[in-house]
């Protein structure tokens, strides 16, 4: 849209409604430099209409997501219409109509919103120019037929799609069609579009000066039926489409911009554009018929007939016949050779006829049958593919747009989209469009993975292992696999160190619930970490030991006779006895030793006397009493030494009986 005419007259904007008069003051917002909704930074004014201004804006959200071209077009109601509910309804209506239509040749509308007194529509940014500008540049000779076919094939694809959806445009004209720098057509301005076989929309009543009071059409492109107030139908778009084709070929309007109800059929004669052959002129002429019963039935039928070569088959057949006659005249006596040549010529004719039959297929049909086509030469097959290239590219783009989202609608199905792109690249390996689409898809996919990775890294950095919903670690990892099958998330070393610390803490506290949660996270994220293998193994053993110890205690509390789980207890109390052993090494006074002895005695009340870790520790305590006794005996603190000896011997006597 960067070349849209900034001086577009008010009559070109059909977002006009009942009860609102056009304001000739042309007051604008002057929004350049403002940021709507904190997201859309207005950069430049690119066009004006009767009720709205159009701006180029940078989408800051797109920019932060790393999108290379983060631009959108913003259509903003003029200040004098901002307070009018009907005008805002037209804007909403245009957004909803266009959002219903997902097609590569129809402009995408992202959103409709308000910011204080500003009411606006957000559309995709198009780098190109409108067809009315293209037509002006082609004066006075018009555009060559082959160039026109490339344009109208795409317009036809868009219109056929909308007609299948039950929607007619009703205001199709060159200024409502954009040709991008990449050669792609985009149809827009569905603000006055109507559902097939429905009454006209009360919000589409236009400016009396330029349009009928019953609809939002433009008279020069409106069918006779529209001008007479009849309900909209596909035939209306056929008439407007045919006028556009004529203008592209000749740079002139077929009826000199007269409304259809003002054309004197008896006096007016349509002139054939120089850029169309006599053979094809009747096809276009039928689309320009003023009365619906005489008009072509659809734009698709017109384009298929216009785009199908007529002369190659006839030329090839004539050449084959000439070859047969010439050979027969030269070699009348050599009947066998003549028969062989006749057979060859017959095969050539058959090949050409088959090729002609395949040329009648539309893009969708050719895609379905292409792999099975073996009865024409590879070169002819490639030519057939090249001829249908615009249609097939449009179908591939449509199929990608229509791929259902996954993960409850959160994510695009990148796997399916990439499958479609691979199929397209097999057909058109040199396509820059497909390569660009692949880059965009890869970028979007990586952006989603980066966002999920950032959230997961944040949770791991904060030790938030047991959350649910969108912060459930298992759910995030599963989402990553949905976005890219086989994607491997690698946690940082810092994340593992924190996890290891939390795991050891849970082991020390014998926190079965925390251990279970940490074990699950470890299996998901750290199973292949070098230090995690032993940790997770020990955690599983500790969990089993906790369960067994709890089961034993419960049985005893219920008066049941159950053998003590020595193996589980050794795992359960391993860290406890290890810490006590280290603590005993640090005891340096009889007072500290008595205090430590008390701790061990308290622990012994919950353990059987023959529990080996306990016996080993108590023997060390007894030996420490005797060692301290020798020290205090040498210092001649005989009373303290006797007390130490007594307690040491007491322990040894008890342990000797175990």
């Amino acid at each position: 849209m960067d070349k849209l005419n900034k001086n577009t007259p008010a009559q070109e904007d059909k977002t006009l409604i009942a009860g609102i008069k056009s304001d000739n003051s042309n007051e604008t917002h002057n929004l350049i430099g403002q940021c709507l909704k904190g997201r859309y930074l207005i950069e430049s004014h690119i066009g004006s209409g009767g009720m709205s201004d159009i701006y180029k804006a940078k989408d800051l959200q797109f920019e932060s997501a790393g999108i290379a071209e983060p631009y959108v077009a913003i259509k903003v109601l003029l200040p004098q219409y901002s307070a009018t509910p009907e005008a805002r309804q037209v804007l909403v209506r245009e957004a909803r109509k266009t959002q219903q239509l997902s097609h590569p040749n129809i402009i995408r509308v992202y959103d409709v919103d308000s910011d204080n007194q500003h009411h606006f529509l957000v559309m995709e940014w198009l780098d190109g120019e409108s067809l009315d500008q293209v037509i002006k540049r082609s004066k006075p000779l018009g555009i060559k037929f082959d160039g026109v076919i490339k344009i109208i094939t795409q317009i036809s694809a868009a219109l056929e799609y909308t007609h299948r959806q039950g929607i007619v445009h009703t205001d199709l004209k060159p200024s409502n069609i954009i040709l991008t720098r990449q050669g792609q057509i985009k149809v827009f301005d569905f603000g006055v579009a109507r559902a097939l076989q429905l009454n006209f929309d009360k919000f589409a009543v236009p400016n009396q000066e330029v349009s009928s009071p019953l609809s939002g059409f433009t008279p020069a492109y409106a069918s006779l039926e529209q001008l007479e107030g009849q309900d909209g139908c596909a035939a209306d778009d056929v008439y407007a489409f045919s006028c556009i084709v004529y203008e592209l070929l000749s740079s002139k309007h077929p009826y000199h911009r007269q409304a259809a109800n003002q054309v004197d059929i008896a006096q007016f004669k349509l002139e054939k554009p120089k850029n169309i052959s006599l053979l094809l002129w009747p096809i276009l002429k039928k689309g320009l018929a003023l009365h619906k019963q005489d008009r072509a039935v659809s734009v698709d039928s017109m384009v298929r007939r216009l785009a199908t070569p007529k002369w190659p088959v006839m030329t090839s057949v004539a050449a084959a016949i000439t070859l047969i006659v010439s050979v027969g005249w030269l070699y009348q006596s050599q009947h066998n050779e003549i028969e062989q040549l006749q057979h060859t010529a017959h095969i050539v004719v058959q090949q050409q006829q088959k090729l002609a039959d395949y040329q009648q297929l539309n893009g969708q049909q050719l895609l379905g049958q292409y792999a099975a086509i073996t009865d024409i030469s590879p070169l002819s097959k490639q030519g057939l593919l090249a001829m249908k290239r615009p249609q097939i590219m449009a179908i591939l783009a449509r199929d990608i747009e229509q791929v259902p989202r996954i993960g409850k609608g959160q994510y695009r199905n990148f796997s399916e989209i990439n499958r479609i792109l691979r199929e397209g690249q097999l057909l058109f390996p040199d396509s820059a469009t497909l390569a660009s689409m692949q880059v965009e898809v890869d970028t979007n996919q990586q952006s989603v993975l980066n966002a999920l990775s950032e959230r997961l890294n944040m949770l791991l950095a904060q030790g938030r292992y047991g959350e649910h919903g969108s912060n459930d670690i298992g759910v995030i990892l599963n989402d990553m696999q949905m976005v890219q099958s086989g994607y491997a998330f690698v946690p940082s070393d810092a994340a593992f160190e924190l996890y290891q610390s939390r795991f050891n803490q849970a082991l020390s506290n014998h926190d079965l619930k925390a251990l279970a949660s940490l074990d699950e996270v470890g299996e998901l994220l750290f199973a292949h970490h070098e230090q995690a293998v032993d940790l997770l193994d020990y955690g599983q053993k500790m969990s089993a030991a906790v369960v067994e110890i709890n089961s034993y205690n419960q049985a005893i509390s219920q008066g049941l006779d159950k053998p003590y789980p020595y193996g589980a207890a050794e795992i359960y109390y391993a860290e406890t006895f290890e810490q006590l052993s280290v603590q005993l090494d640090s005891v340096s006074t009889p007072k500290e030793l008595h205090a430590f002895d008390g701790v061990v005695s308290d622990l012994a009340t919950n353990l059987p006397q023959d529990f080996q870790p306990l016996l080993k520790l108590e023997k060390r305590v007894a030996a420490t009493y005797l060692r301290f006794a020798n020290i205090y005996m040498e210092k001649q603190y005989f009373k303290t030494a006797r007390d130490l000896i007594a307690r040491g011997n007491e322990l040894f006597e008890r342990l000797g009986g175990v």
Side-chain angles (χ1 to χ4, degrees):
M1 289 184 175
D2 63 335
K3 290 188 178 179
L4 286 178
N5 188 356
K6 294 186 178 181
N7 297 317
T8 302
Q11 55 264 38
E12 290 301 327
D13 189 341
K14 293 303 167 184
T15 52
L16 304 178
I17 57 175
I20 298 180
K21 295 181 179 179
S22 178
D23 188 339
N24 295 326
S25 66
N26 290 327
E27 180 186 354
T28 64
H29 292 285
N30 191 20
L31 298 179
I32 296 173
Q34 294 194 35
C35 189
L36 299 181
K37 300 298 285 186
R39 174 175 178 178
Y40 305 109
L41 180 61
I42 305 297
E43 291 193 348
S44 61
H45 178 257
I46 58 174
S48 296
M51 288 182 59
S52 61
D53 281 329
I54 301 179
Y55 295 91
K56 178 182 179 182
K58 180 181 290 185
D59 186 330
L60 301 181
Q61 186 170 316
F62 282 2
E63 185 180 43
S64 64
I67 295 175
E69 292 292 331
Y71 296 104
V72 293
I74 305 285
K75 183 175 184 178
V76 188
L77 284 180
L78 293 173
Q80 57 266 41
Y81 301 121
S82 296
T84 307
E86 291 86 349
R88 296 197 299 271
Q89 177 63 21
V90 168
L91 206 63
V92 172
R93 198 166 129 274
E94 179 176 354
R96 290 177 178 172
K97 284 282 186 184
T98 311
Q99 285 176 333
Q100 293 173 20
L101 304 172
S102 177
H103 190 275
N105 296 120
I106 296 176
I107 195 169
R108 286 179 290 179
V109 170
Y110 300 130
D111 199 5
V112 60
D113 208 339
S114 298
D115 189 343
N116 295 326
Q117 78 276 20
H118 304 308
H119 305 283
F120 59 92
L121 191 70
V122 184
M123 304 176 289
E124 69 174 311
W125 172 254
L126 300 176
D127 185 8
E129 57 185 348
S130 61
L131 284 194
D132 58 346
Q133 293 172 296
V134 174
I135 290 167
K136 288 176 184 177
R137 283 196 295 101
S138 68
K139 287 182 177 181
L141 301 177
I143 301 172
K144 294 295 184 182
F145 183 79
D146 289 345
V148 171
I149 286 296
K150 293 178 181 178
I151 294 173
I152 65 174
T153 299
Q154 298 182 64
I155 301 174
S156 167
L159 292 177
E160 282 300 306
Y161 170 77
T162 61
H163 293 170
R164 287 197 302 272
Q165 307 304 312
I167 295 175
V168 287
H169 192 290
T170 74
D171 190 26
L172 191 69
K173 56 188 176 183
S175 61
N176 282 345
I177 302 170
I178 295 293
L179 176 63
T180 70
R181 292 184 186 274
Q182 292 74 34
Q184 187 178 23
I185 284 294
K186 291 281 187 174
V187 179
F188 65 98
D189 201 353
F190 284 83
V192 296
R194 290 193 247 165
L196 289 173
Q197 300 178 352
L198 295 179
N199 293 328
F200 89 100
D201 192 323
K202 66 181 180 179
F203 294 119
V205 178
N207 189 324
Q208 297 288 343
E209 180 183 351
V210 294
S211 299
S212 163
L214 297 178
S215 71
F217 53 71
T218 302
Y221 299 91
S223 69
L224 184 63
E225 295 77 28
Q226 282 181 278
L227 293 165
E228 291 175 348
Q230 296 184 26
D231 290 343
C233 67
D236 301 329
D237 285 349
V238 171
Y239 178 79
F241 172 79
S242 301
C243 289
I244 293 170
V245 176
Y246 190 100
E247 280 194 88
L248 289 168
L249 288 166
S250 66
S251 301
K252 301 175 183 177
H253 187 279
Y255 295 107
H256 307 314
R257 308 200 71 79
Q258 290 187 75
N261 59 357
Q262 297 176 356
V263 175
D264 185 348
I265 301 177
Q267 298 294 325
F268 193 93
K269 181 180 179 181
L270 283 170
E271 297 181 5
K272 181 186 80 67
K274 293 181 180 180
N275 289 332
I276 191 170
S277 67
L278 283 170
L279 188 65
L280 298 178
W281 168 232
I283 300 170
L284 176 57
K285 194 173 181 180
K286 190 172 180 64
L288 292 168
L290 294 177
H291 295 285
K292 182 166 64 176
Q293 63 269 22
D294 302 326
R295 204 173 301 147
V297 295
S298 70
V299 292
D300 182 60
S301 65
M302 289 180 60
V303 171
R304 279 193 287 109
R305 294 178 64 194
L306 288 170
T308 302
K310 302 295 181 182
W311 292 111
V313 173
M314 299 174 64
T315 304
S316 300
V317 172
I321 294 172
T322 302
L323 177 64
I324 294 170
V325 173
S326 300
V327 172
W329 181 76
L330 292 172
Y331 303 100
Q332 292 181 8
S333 61
Q334 300 179 14
H335 297 293
N336 291 338
E337 292 185 19
I338 292 174
E339 289 179 0
Q340 182 62 39
L341 289 169
Q342 287 175 332
H343 177 67
T344 301
H346 179 66
I347 291 175
V348 170
V349 173
Q350 283 186 324
Q351 285 272 319
Q352 293 294 337
Q353 186 57 53
K354 288 175 181 176
L355 180 59
D357 291 340
Y358 287 133
Q359 287 173 346
Q360 298 301 316
L361 299 176
N362 60 35
Q364 189 71 59
Q365 293 168 332
L366 180 60
L367 268 180
Q369 300 181 30
Y370 187 76
I373 295 176
T374 58
D375 49 0
I376 59 176
S377 70
L379 188 60
S380 297
K381 191 174 176 180
Q382 286 295 319
L384 184 65
L385 192 64
M387 186 179 73
K388 301 292 183 180
R389 181 170 181 150
Q391 291 185 39
I392 294 173
M393 291 292 288
I395 290 167
L396 292 173
R398 178 204 66 194
D399 289 348
I400 289 173
E401 286 288 336
Q402 293 180 351
V403 170
R405 297 178 74 87
I406 56 177
K408 297 181 180 179
Q410 294 184 82
Y411 309 111
R412 298 179 71 187
N413 189 339
F414 292 104
S415 176
E416 178 62 16
I417 291 172
N418 281 317
R419 183 193 66 78
I420 295 171
L421 284 172
R422 284 194 299 272
E423 288 184 358
Q425 288 162 349
L426 287 174
L427 296 174
F428 307 112
D430 61 337
S431 172
T433 299
L434 289 176
S436 176
M437 292 169 67
Q438 184 69 67
V439 170
E440 180 182 356
V441 169
D442 291 345
T443 301
N444 289 344
Q445 185 178 30
Q446 192 58 52
S447 295
V448 174
L449 289 172
N450 290 343
L452 291 171
S453 296
E454 286 177 11
R455 190 193 314 166
L456 189 50
N457 279 321
M458 177 195 69
L459 294 172
L460 294 177
Q462 297 175 2
R464 295 160 60 185
Y465 305 120
E467 296 194 21
H468 300 289
S470 61
N471 286 335
D472 186 306
I473 290 175
V475 171
I476 295 174
L477 289 170
N478 185 63
D479 286 356
M480 287 178 169
Q481 292 301 311
M482 276 196 294
V483 173
Q484 180 178 315
S485 178
Y487 181 78
F489 173 80
V490 181
S492 66
D493 290 339
F496 176 73
E497 290 172 4
L498 177 60
Y499 170 79
Q500 188 178 37
S501 173
R502 294 289 179 87
F503 202 102
N504 288 330
Q505 184 180 353
L507 286 172
S508 299
N509 296 335
H510 300 136
D511 188 337
L512 192 60
K513 183 178 180 181
L515 281 173
S517 176
L518 288 163
D519 186 65
E520 182 179 355
V521 171
E523 291 294 338
L524 289 172
L525 290 170
F526 302 109
H528 301 295
H529 197 284
E530 184 178 351
Q531 300 177 45
V533 177
D534 293 339
L535 188 68
L536 292 172
D537 180 60
Y538 184 62
Q540 291 173 356
K541 290 179 180 178
M542 176 61 77
S543 297
V546 171
V547 171
E548 197 169 347
I549 292 293
N550 289 342
S551 175
Y552 170 79
N553 291 334
Q554 185 177 5
I556 296 302
S557 67
Q558 295 174 355
L560 301 176
D561 185 16
K562 187 172 183 177
Y564 189 78
Y566 287 95
E570 287 189 11
I571 295 172
Y572 185 88
Y573 289 105
E575 187 174 356
T576 300
F577 280 101
E578 183 178 343
Q579 292 174 352
L580 288 173
S581 179
V582 172
Q583 187 177 345
L584 178 58
D585 290 338
S586 65
V587 169
S588 59
T589 66
K591 183 177 180 181
E592 290 177 356
L593 182 60
H594 283 300
F596 181 83
D597 188 12
V599 171
V600 175
S601 298
D602 290 340
L603 178 62
T605 59
N606 297 318
L607 297 169
Q609 291 183 352
D610 60 348
F611 186 57
Q612 288 301 317
L614 177 63
L615 289 174
K616 183 178 179 181
L617 182 62
E618 287 181 328
K619 286 178 182 179
R620 286 192 61 202
V621 172
T624 303
Y625 270 111
L626 296 180
R627 180 167 60 82
F628 273 25
N630 288 333
I631 293 171
Y632 280 88
M633 186 70 73
E634 291 177 358
K635 293 181 178 181
Q636 298 185 356
Y637 294 143
F638 300 114
K639 183 179 184 306
T640 300
R642 283 195 299 270
D643 291 341
L644 292 169
I645 292 171
R647 178 55 181 162
N649 288 334
E650 180 186 349
L651 284 173
F652 272 121
E653 288 177 5
R654 184 174 67 77
L655 293 172
V658 178

